[in-house]
Amino acid sequence: MPSRELGGRSQGPLWARGPGPAAGGGGGVIVNITHSAPGAPSKTIRFLNVAFDSSGDSLLAGDHQGNIYVFDLKGNRFNLVQRTMQACTALAFNLRRKTEFLVALADYSVKCFDTESKELVSWMRGHDSSVSSISVSGSGRYAITTSTDTAQLWDLDTFQRKRKLNVRHSVGIQKVFFLPLSNTILSCFRDNSVFAWEFDTLHCKYQLPTAVECSTLLYKSFAVTRDGRIFVAGGKSNHLHLWCLESKQLIKIIQMPTKVRAVRHLEFLPDSFDGGSNQVLGVLSQDNIMRFINIETCKLLFAIGSHEEGISTAAISPNGRYIASVMENGSVNLYSVQALTQEANKPPPPQFKVVEDWPKCKSEANKLTMKVTSGRSERPWKSKGNKIQTRLLKVQANTSLENKENELPGGLNKKRLQALLKGYGEYPAKYRMFVWRSLLQLPENHLAFSSLIDKGTHSAFVNIQNEYPIKSRKLLRVLQRTLSALAHWSAIFGETPYIPLLAFPFVKLFQNNQLICFEVVATVVVNFCQHWFEYFPNPPVNVLSMMENILAHHDKELLQHFIKYNVTSQVYAWPLLETLFSEVLTREEWLKVFDNIFSNHPSYFLMIVVAYIVCSRAPLLHCNQRQDFEYFFHHRNNLDINVVIKEAYHFMEATPPDIHPQRVLDDFVPLTKGQYPVFNKYPKFIVDYQTQEWERIRQDEIEYLRERQLMHELEAKAQERKAEDEAWYRKQELLQEAEEQRRKMLLEEEKKLAEQRQRLAAVKRELKVKELQFLDASRRRFLKYQQDQRQMELKRLDDEIARKASIREQETAATVQDVEVRQMELESQRQLFEQHLIKDQESSTREMKEERDASRRKADLEDHVVQRLMETDREEKQKAQMVAEENLAKAQQKCIEVDWRLQALHKLRHDDQDREKRYEEIAKLLHDNRVKEAELLKAMREAEEKKWEEVIRKKAQLEEEQKAAAAAHEHRKQFLEDKMNDALDLAEKLQREDGFFVSSVRRQELACQERELMAEVRQLRQKLTAQARIRHPPTHLSSTKWTT
C-alpha cells in the first residue's frame, strides 16, 4: 500500500510513482497519508476531518493541531494552507469562490480562509458549543453551522448571520443541512423529529411522521440522495430507515448484519449514470468498518476498514471516484471506488440464497424490514471498467435444502469449514473467534443479557474468590458475572459445583466481550452438555454409560483394566467432561480440539473423550492404584492431540448405531434470538429442594448471626456498664483522697501566704525608699542634662551666626567683584558699541554719498530724456507707484517687527520684575544699571511712537503723491515743465525718506543688541543667586536686516 509521510513539509508530491490514482493499491487504497511531528517520528499528529470540493479532485484535511492541508488528487500535490493552532471540528470546501473553505474550530468559532493567498477571509462567531457540521447550499452563497444547542444560517458574501435556530437543551439538535437541488432546509433533532423548512421564508413546510419503530431507534446519522428524494436515518441499532421526502412516508427498513449494533455515519456513493437517485449507501458502524450496500437489493457490495485498522469518519467525492477515510490511528486513507467495485464484481463462487417468508402476524414495520446479506446482487453495481454479465442458475430442491442447513451467518458454509478443518487441523487463529461465532450462531441478545446482568451477583457466587483464587481481578470479575448470569438464567447453574470449571476456559478466552462469553457457554451447555443434569446432583450416569459402552466396543482390554482396579467412568471420563479438557491440554491443543467439537455433531464431544482415553492406554495399563488414575486425568500428559482428533473421527464412523451417542443426543440447536430459551432439563424438585434448603440454611445462618451479634452487643454493654461502675467507684475514692490532700495543701498555703505577706510588706517599704532615691537622682540628672543641652544649643547658635556672617561676607565680596567685572564688561561693550556706531555712521555717510551721486546721475539722465518724457511718463508713474508700495510694505514689516520686539521686551521686563522681588539686596547694588535700562527702554518706546507717526505721515504723503501723479497725468501735455520739476522734487523727497528709514533701522538694531546684553546680565545674576538651579543658555534675539 503506497504511503506518504507529511512530516514538517508544507508542500510536495502526494505519491511518488505509479500509474495514477485510478489504479488503487491493496484493498483499493491509493495512498495512506500520515503526519508525524517534526523531529519526533514516533509522535503522530492525528487527522480529524476531511472534505472534498465540488469537483471531487481536491481534498481538504485538518488535524488536531490545527494544520489544514489541501491534496490535489489530479495534480498529485499537497499543500499546507493554514495553521489555526487549534483542533478543527468540521470542514466545508464547496463554496461559490472555489479557493475559499470553512473550518470550525475548538473555540466554537468558524473561520473562512483562502487556499491561494493563505489569508483569513472572515471570522464568524456565535456558537456556545462545538460546531459538529457545516452544510453549504447548492449555490455556495449560504452555509448552515450546527452545534448541539443551535443552528445558524450565514451569508457567505457578507459573512453575516441571517437566522438562528434555538431549541430546548433537553431536545438538542443532531444535524441541520440543505437538501440538494431544492430550496429546503432539513433539521433533525434528538427526539427523532425531522422538520423541513422553506429557505426563503424559513416557514415549516412539513414534518416527517414519527414511526412506532423510531421509539427504540435514536437517530444519530443522516444522508440524502443527490436528487433529494430519499432520506436515510440510522442510530443505535442495526436498522436503517428509508423515508420518501415526496410522500413523507417511511418506505423501507433495512436490517444490517448482526455485527452492526450502531450506525455512526451515512453517505451515498454518487454515480454519473443514476440521475441523482443514488442506490449505493455507505454505512459506518460501531466496529469502525464502512459497508457499502445497495438500498434496492439490500446486498452488501464491498467494505473498507477492519477491526485492526478502523475508520473514525469518511467522506465521498461528489464525482464518485474517491473515498477519503480518517483512520483510528490518525492517518488518512484514500480509496479508489473503481478498484473497490472491480474487486466486488469479481465472479463469486456458486451460492444459493433462500428468501424467507416472514410470518403475517408481524407488524407493518416488519413487513418493510429487509436484511442485508453478504452475497452479490443480481444486477451488479455499475463500474466504469469492463461490463459484467450475470446469469441465474437453477438449483435442485434437495441441493437448496442441503445448502440451507450448511449456511452459516457471516457468509460462511459449514461444509467448507469442515473441509478446511480436515485439511489444516485447525482454523486460522486470526479468524477463529469469528468462525466460532458463526458455527455456534450466537444471537447476541443485548437486552436479554443486560437484564441478566442487571440482577447483580448471584448469592451462590458472592464468595467465589475464596474457592477459586484467581490472580487477575478482571478475570475473576468476568467469571463472577458470567456465572451469575447463568444462575439467573437457570437455577441449576447456581447449584452445580462444576459450572465454574466448565465456564472458565471460555471466560479466559472471551474476557473482553462478556455477551459473547455468556452465549458461548450457554450454547455449549445446551448442545454439548445434553442430559448432564438429569441425575443431578450426581454426575450424568447416562452419558458416562454411553461412553463406557463406546470404550467397551473399541478397547475392551482397557475397560477390563479399569474394572479390575475399581476405576469407574466417574474417574476416567467425568474429569475430562466437567473441565472440558482444560486441565489436561495446553491452550493451543484445547483450541484445536474445540475447533473440531464446534464443527461437528454434539456427539463428537463424547467421542473425543473416549479417543483421549484410548490413545492413553499405554500409561493407563501400567497404573494399578486409584490415586494414579485420578492424577492422570487431572494433569497434562505427553499425548499428540492430532492423533486423538483423528481417532475421534474414526470412532464417529466406526461406532455401531445402537451405541452411538448420535442416537440419543439431539442435533445442534442455536440459542433463540431476542430471548434466551428456557433451560429446565434437570430434576427440578431436587434443585428446588436444594435451593430451599440452601435458602433455609442461609436464613438460619442469618438468624444465628443476628442472635450472636445481639448477644455480643448485650455482653459488650454489660462489660461496658461494669467497667463504668468500677470506674465510678475508683473515681469517688480518688476524689476523696484528693479532697483530703487539697485541705492539707490549703492549710500549708495559708501559712505560706501569711509569711509571704509579711515579707512583701518589708519589700514594699524597701522599694518605696529606693524609689524615692531613684526619683531624686533622676531629677538631678535631668536638670544637668537640660543645662548641657542649653549650652550646646547656645554654642551651635554662635557657630551658625558666625558661619552665616562669613557666608554673607563672601557673597557680598563675590557680588562686588562680579559687579566690578560687569561694569568693566559694560564699559568695553560701550566702547565697542561706539566703534560700531562710528563705523555705521561712516557706512551710512558713504551710502548717502553714493545715493546722492546716483540721484545726480539720474537727474542728468532725466535731463537727457526730457524729450522722451511723454513716452516714458507711464513707466515713471509705475516706478513711482512700485517704490511707494515697497516703502509701504517695508514700513508694515518694520511695524510688525517692532510689535514682536515690544512683546518680547514686555515679557523680559515681567521676568526681571519677578527676579527683582526675589533678590532685593542684589537689586540695590545694581540700581544704577536698572535706571539706565529704564531710560533706554523709555527712549526705545519714544522712538517707536515716532516711527508710527512717521509711518502714518508717509502713508498720507504717498496718497497725496498718487493724487498728484494722477493730476499730472491729466495735465501732462499742458504743464510739461512743471511736471518735470515735481518729479524731481518727488525723487529727492523719496531719497530723503529712504535715508531716514535706514537710520531708524540702525537704531533698532542697536537697541536689539543692547537688549541682548541686558539678557546676559540677568543670566549672570541667576548664576550668582541660584547655583543649584539648572543653567539655561542666554537667549539671543535674532536681528532682522532690512534692505532698501
Side-chain angles (χ1 to χ4, degrees):
M1 177 176 62
S3 179
R4 169 57 63 189
E5 167 59 44
L6 301 183
R9 291 172 295 179
S10 59
Q11 60 182 353
L14 193 52
W15 49 79
R17 291 179 298 177
V29 179
I30 300 174
V31 64
N32 172 255
I33 303 171
T34 58
H35 188 193
S36 60
S42 60
K43 184 179 180 182
T44 303
I45 301 176
R46 300 171 55 85
F47 285 97
L48 299 179
N49 291 282
V50 290
F52 283 93
D53 66 345
S54 57
S55 66
D57 293 326
S58 292
L59 175 66
L60 194 70
D63 59 24
H64 74 276
Q65 290 188 355
N67 301 316
I68 309 297
Y69 288 86
V70 172
F71 300 95
D72 185 2
L73 306 181
K74 184 177 290 185
N76 186 23
R77 299 288 296 175
F78 73 88
N79 190 13
L80 176 62
V81 296
Q82 195 57 237
R83 297 181 188 269
T84 61
M85 307 308 292
Q86 52 184 322
C88 65
T89 58
L91 293 170
F93 198 27
N94 51 350
L95 280 60
R96 184 162 57 178
R97 293 176 288 276
K98 303 302 180 183
T99 59
E100 294 180 359
F101 65 93
L102 297 176
V103 54
L105 301 175
D107 61 352
Y108 311 152
S109 65
V110 180
K111 294 184 179 180
C112 180
F113 296 97
D114 192 289
T115 58
E116 292 182 354
S117 63
K118 300 181 181 180
E119 295 180 353
L120 176 66
V121 179
S122 180
W123 192 345
M124 295 174 283
R125 293 179 176 270
H127 284 279
D128 296 327
S129 58
S130 178
V131 177
S132 58
S133 67
I134 303 175
S135 176
V136 182
S137 63
S139 62
R141 180 178 177 182
Y142 299 98
I144 295 177
T145 56
T146 307
S147 60
T148 56
D149 55 350
T150 183
Q152 301 186 12
L153 177 64
W154 303 88
D155 187 346
L156 298 183
D157 286 343
T158 61
F159 295 99
Q160 298 294 323
R161 185 174 66 190
K162 294 179 64 68
R163 291 295 181 91
K164 182 178 181 181
L165 175 64
N166 292 318
V167 295
R168 295 193 305 272
H169 184 70
S170 58
V171 178
I173 301 175
Q174 289 288 4
K175 191 175 183 180
V176 181
F177 56 96
F178 288 98
L179 285 181
L181 305 178
S182 66
N183 199 22
T184 305
I185 298 175
L186 213 61
S187 61
C188 310
F189 301 94
R190 289 185 178 178
D191 58 356
N192 286 0
S193 59
V194 180
F195 292 84
W197 310 85
E198 186 70 30
F199 172 73
D200 297 330
T201 60
L202 290 180
H203 292 316
C204 183
K205 295 176 64 176
Y206 57 85
Q207 177 186 1
L208 294 182
T210 304
V212 179
E213 313 79 54
C214 297
S215 58
T216 58
L217 174 60
L218 298 177
Y219 289 162
K220 292 291 183 182
S221 54
F222 313 91
V224 180
T225 56
R226 194 170 57 176
D227 57 4
R229 295 181 179 179
I230 302 298
F231 170 72
V232 183
K236 293 185 176 180
S237 173
N238 64 342
H239 289 80
L240 301 177
H241 288 185
L242 269 69
W243 295 83
C244 179
L245 296 182
E246 294 179 348
S247 62
K248 290 84 176 175
Q249 297 294 327
L250 180 65
I251 59 174
K252 187 182 294 186
I253 299 176
I254 299 177
Q255 181 180 355
M256 296 295 292
T258 56
K259 290 174 285 190
V260 177
R261 297 192 299 272
V263 177
R264 292 169 50 189
H265 181 68
L266 294 171
E267 192 166 358
F268 278 99
L269 182 62
D271 186 13
S272 57
F273 299 99
D274 58 10
S277 59
N278 309 128
Q279 302 295 319
V280 180
L281 176 66
V283 182
L284 178 61
S285 57
Q286 91 291 339
D287 57 359
N288 301 326
I289 297 176
M290 192 167 188
R291 300 170 175 86
F292 289 81
I293 64 171
N294 190 305
I295 61 175
E296 292 296 328
T297 61
C298 296
K299 297 294 182 180
L300 179 63
L301 302 178
F302 58 90
I304 58 177
S306 62
H307 295 286
E308 293 77 17
E309 297 181 359
I311 297 174
S312 61
T313 185
I316 302 176
S317 63
N319 56 17
R321 296 179 182 176
Y322 308 108
I323 301 172
S325 64
V326 179
M327 312 304 290
E328 285 292 318
N329 58 8
S331 64
V332 174
N333 275 3
L334 185 64
Y335 296 88
S336 170
V337 176
Q338 181 179 349
L340 291 171
T341 53
Q342 284 178 356
E343 291 181 4
N345 290 327
K346 289 180 180 178
Q351 294 184 3
F352 186 82
K353 303 292 181 182
V354 178
V355 177
E356 297 180 1
D357 188 11
W358 288 72
K360 297 182 179 179
C361 61
K362 293 199 174 182
S363 63
E364 186 68 24
N366 288 337
K367 294 180 181 179
L368 297 174
T369 304
M370 298 181 68
K371 289 188 175 181
V372 175
T373 59
S374 60
R376 302 297 194 274
S377 61
E378 293 180 358
R379 179 174 60 85
W381 197 80
K382 296 181 180 179
S383 66
K384 298 184 179 180
N386 53 352
K387 296 182 178 179
I388 300 177
Q389 298 180 356
T390 58
R391 297 176 62 185
L392 297 176
L393 300 178
K394 295 182 179 180
V395 186
Q396 300 298 327
N398 56 355
T399 307
S400 174
L401 183 60
E402 183 182 356
N403 287 338
K404 181 179 179 181
E405 293 177 353
N406 295 325
E407 197 67 32
L408 296 175
L412 301 179
N413 187 278
K414 190 172 183 180
K415 290 293 185 182
R416 292 184 179 178
L417 289 176
Q418 289 176 347
L420 178 67
L421 186 62
K422 288 182 180 180
Y424 293 95
E426 60 180 341
Y427 293 125
K430 184 177 181 180
Y431 302 103
R432 176 176 279 117
M433 300 301 106
F434 172 71
V435 172
W436 282 16
R437 291 168 65 178
S438 299
L439 288 171
L440 298 179
Q441 302 178 32
L442 302 182
E444 298 187 20
N445 299 327
H446 292 271
L447 295 178
F449 179 70
S450 298
S451 65
L452 294 175
I453 291 295
D454 293 341
K455 293 181 181 180
T457 304
H458 195 272
S459 58
F461 305 108
V462 172
N463 299 319
I464 191 175
Q465 65 274 7
N466 298 331
E467 187 176 358
Y468 300 98
I470 301 174
K471 185 176 181 180
S472 173
R473 296 183 61 84
K474 176 183 177 183
L475 192 60
L476 178 63
R477 186 168 60 252
V478 175
L479 177 63
Q480 190 178 43
R481 289 182 180 178
T482 304
L483 296 177
S484 299
L486 288 170
H488 290 309
W489 174 43
S490 181
I492 184 65
F493 301 120
E495 307 296 332
T496 306
Y498 57 83
I499 200 67
L501 299 175
L502 186 144
F504 180 74
F506 296 105
V507 170
K508 193 171 183 180
L509 195 62
F510 296 98
Q511 57 181 320
N512 293 325
N513 193 332
Q514 299 181 31
L515 171 64
I516 300 301
C517 176
F518 170 78
E519 292 187 349
V520 168
V521 175
T523 304
V524 169
V525 170
V526 171
N527 291 278
F528 299 95
C529 300
Q530 299 181 36
H531 309 291
W532 280 29
F533 308 99
E534 293 177 358
Y535 294 91
F536 180 83
N538 299 315
V541 179
N542 50 351
V543 176
L544 295 177
S545 62
M546 283 192 294
M547 298 174 64
E548 191 172 348
N549 293 334
I550 298 171
L551 180 61
H553 177 76
H554 292 287
D555 198 339
K556 193 171 184 179
E557 180 185 357
L558 183 59
L559 179 60
Q560 291 298 326
H561 182 71
F562 289 151
I563 295 172
K564 177 180 178 181
Y565 293 100
N566 197 21
V567 177
T568 62
S569 57
Q570 296 185 18
V571 176
Y572 62 79
W574 181 236
L576 302 178
L577 290 176
E578 67 177 355
T579 61
L580 299 182
F581 292 95
S582 61
E583 289 184 345
V584 298
L585 297 180
T586 63
R587 175 186 173 89
E588 290 74 16
E589 293 174 345
W590 188 88
L591 292 172
K592 188 179 295 186
V593 166
F594 272 87
D595 283 345
N596 291 272
I597 291 174
F598 289 156
S599 301
N600 290 280
H601 191 271
S603 60
Y604 182 80
F605 181 35
L606 304 181
M607 292 297 185
I608 203 167
V609 175
V610 177
Y612 182 86
I613 298 170
V614 172
C615 292
S616 304
R617 68 190 310 273
L620 289 174
L621 290 175
H622 287 84
C623 296
N624 52 15
Q625 294 183 5
R626 184 182 177 88
Q627 293 81 2
D628 296 339
F629 290 103
E630 292 178 354
Y631 181 86
F632 183 87
F633 290 105
H634 284 282
H635 293 82
R636 294 178 183 176
N637 304 289
N638 296 326
L639 190 64
D640 188 357
I641 197 64
N642 295 321
V643 176
V644 176
I645 293 172
K646 290 181 181 179
E647 190 69 15
Y649 279 112
H650 171 69
F651 289 168
M652 285 287 290
E653 297 175 357
T655 302
D658 54 342
I659 63 172
H660 201 292
Q662 194 169 0
R663 180 175 59 87
V664 180
L665 301 181
D666 298 331
D667 292 339
F668 178 84
V669 177
L671 299 179
T672 56
K673 192 171 182 61
Q675 294 292 333
Y676 296 116
V678 177
F679 187 83
N680 55 2
K681 297 179 181 180
Y682 57 89
K684 194 173 184 302
F685 68 95
I686 296 178
V687 176
D688 293 343
Y689 176 76
Q690 285 195 352
T691 304
Q692 293 172 4
E693 286 297 314
W694 281 111
E695 183 65 22
R696 183 182 61 78
I697 293 171
R698 190 173 65 84
Q699 292 295 336
D700 293 343
E701 186 178 357
I702 293 173
E703 183 67 21
Y704 167 73
L705 292 174
R706 188 179 64 79
E707 292 179 356
R708 189 175 67 176
Q709 181 68 21
L710 183 60
M711 289 296 297
H712 287 325
E713 291 178 357
L714 292 174
E715 185 179 356
K717 287 182 179 178
Q719 294 292 336
E720 184 179 356
R721 191 177 296 108
K722 183 179 178 181
E724 288 177 355
D725 293 341
E726 292 177 355
W728 186 79
Y729 286 119
R730 195 181 307 110
K731 190 174 181 180
Q732 291 298 323
E733 293 176 359
L734 293 174
L735 287 174
Q736 290 177 0
E737 294 176 358
E739 187 177 358
E740 292 295 332
Q741 292 177 359
R742 297 296 186 279
R743 286 195 184 120
K744 295 178 181 179
M745 291 172 63
L746 283 174
L747 293 175
E748 294 177 357
E749 290 296 329
E750 287 178 357
K751 292 179 181 179
K752 292 179 181 179
L753 184 60
E755 295 176 357
Q756 287 179 358
R757 285 176 179 173
Q758 294 176 1
R759 288 196 298 270
L760 184 60
V763 170
K764 282 183 178 180
R765 287 193 296 271
E766 293 177 358
L767 290 175
K768 191 68 175 175
V769 173
K770 288 182 179 180
E771 185 178 357
L772 292 174
Q773 292 175 357
F774 287 148
L775 287 174
D776 188 30
S778 63
R779 185 176 61 80
R780 288 195 297 269
R781 282 197 302 271
F782 181 70
L783 292 175
K784 187 176 182 300
Y785 174 74
Q786 283 185 341
Q787 185 178 1
D788 294 340
Q789 288 293 327
R790 286 176 182 175
Q791 290 177 358
M792 291 173 64
E793 184 70 21
L794 290 173
K795 185 177 180 182
R796 187 178 62 80
L797 290 175
D798 292 340
D799 295 340
E800 185 70 20
I801 291 169
R803 186 179 63 80
K804 286 186 176 180
S806 64
I807 291 173
R808 189 179 296 110
E809 291 175 358
Q810 292 175 3
E811 290 179 352
T812 303
T815 305
V816 170
Q817 292 177 1
D818 291 340
V819 169
E820 292 176 354
V821 171
R822 188 57 186 163
Q823 286 178 355
M824 292 172 65
E825 291 179 353
L826 290 175
E827 184 66 24
S828 63
Q829 288 179 359
R830 185 181 62 77
Q831 295 175 1
L832 182 63
F833 290 157
E834 289 176 355
Q835 293 177 1
H836 284 304
L837 287 174
I838 293 169
K839 290 180 181 179
D840 292 340
Q841 287 178 0
E842 290 177 355
S843 62
S844 60
T845 303
R846 188 168 51 254
E847 290 177 356
M848 290 293 292
K849 288 180 180 180
E850 291 177 356
E851 289 176 357
R852 284 196 299 270
D853 295 338
S855 62
R856 289 191 189 98
R857 287 193 298 273
K858 185 176 181 182
D860 294 338
L861 289 173
E862 289 177 353
D863 290 339
H864 289 296
V865 295
V866 167
Q867 295 178 359
R868 300 174 58 187
L869 181 61
M870 296 299 293
E871 290 83 6
T872 60
D873 181 59
R874 184 174 295 177
E875 294 177 359
E876 291 295 335
K877 179 183 176 182
Q878 290 178 355
K879 289 180 180 180
Q881 186 175 359
M882 288 174 64
V883 169
E885 290 177 355
E886 288 177 359
N887 292 333
L888 180 61
K890 290 177 181 179
Q892 291 177 354
Q893 185 65 27
K894 290 176 182 179
C895 292
I896 292 170
E897 288 293 330
V898 169
D899 291 338
W900 179 77
R901 294 178 183 277
L902 282 173
Q903 291 177 3
L905 186 61
H906 284 307
K907 187 175 180 180
L908 292 172
R909 186 182 64 183
H910 183 69
D911 293 339
D912 292 339
Q913 290 175 358
D914 292 340
R915 292 187 183 91
E916 287 168 1
K917 290 178 182 179
R918 298 173 187 169
Y919 310 109
E920 292 180 355
E921 294 180 357
I922 299 175
K924 290 178 181 179
L925 297 173
L926 303 175
H927 178 69
D928 296 337
N929 293 335
R930 285 202 304 275
V931 170
K932 293 179 181 181
E933 290 176 2
E935 291 176 355
L936 181 61
L937 291 173
K938 186 176 180 181
M940 290 176 66
R941 291 194 190 98
E942 292 176 356
E944 289 174 2
E945 292 176 357
K946 290 180 182 180
K947 186 63 181 177
W948 279 107
E949 291 176 358
E950 289 179 2
V951 170
I952 294 170
R953 183 173 57 79
K954 288 179 181 179
K955 286 182 179 180
Q957 288 179 359
L958 287 173
E959 293 176 357
E960 291 175 359
E961 289 172 358
Q962 290 175 356
K963 292 178 182 179
H969 180 69
E970 294 176 357
H971 304 88
R972 186 179 293 118
K973 293 181 181 180
Q974 298 177 2
F975 304 98
L976 178 60
E977 294 178 359
D978 296 337
K979 182 61 181 175
M980 289 295 297
N981 295 329
D982 292 335
L984 293 173
D985 294 338
L986 181 61
E988 292 178 358
K989 197 177 292 183
L990 288 172
Q991 289 176 0
R992 288 193 301 271
E993 290 176 356
D994 292 339
F996 180 78
F997 270 102
V998 170
S999 62
S1000 64
V1001 170
R1002 305 280 185 225
R1003 285 193 298 273
Q1004 288 179 2
E1005 289 178 354
L1006 292 174
C1008 181
Q1009 291 177 358
E1010 186 176 1
R1011 283 195 298 274
E1012 289 176 357
L1013 290 173
M1014 294 303 298
E1016 291 179 359
V1017 171
R1018 284 192 294 274
Q1019 288 175 1
L1020 289 172
R1021 292 173 191 166
Q1022 291 177 1
K1023 291 178 182 179
L1024 293 171
T1025 58
Q1027 294 180 358
R1029 293 189 178 184
I1030 300 173
R1031 297 178 180 180
H1032 297 281
T1035 304
H1036 297 280
L1037 297 175
S1038 61
S1039 60
T1040 304
K1041 288 188 178 182
W1042 291 77
T1043 56
T1044 57

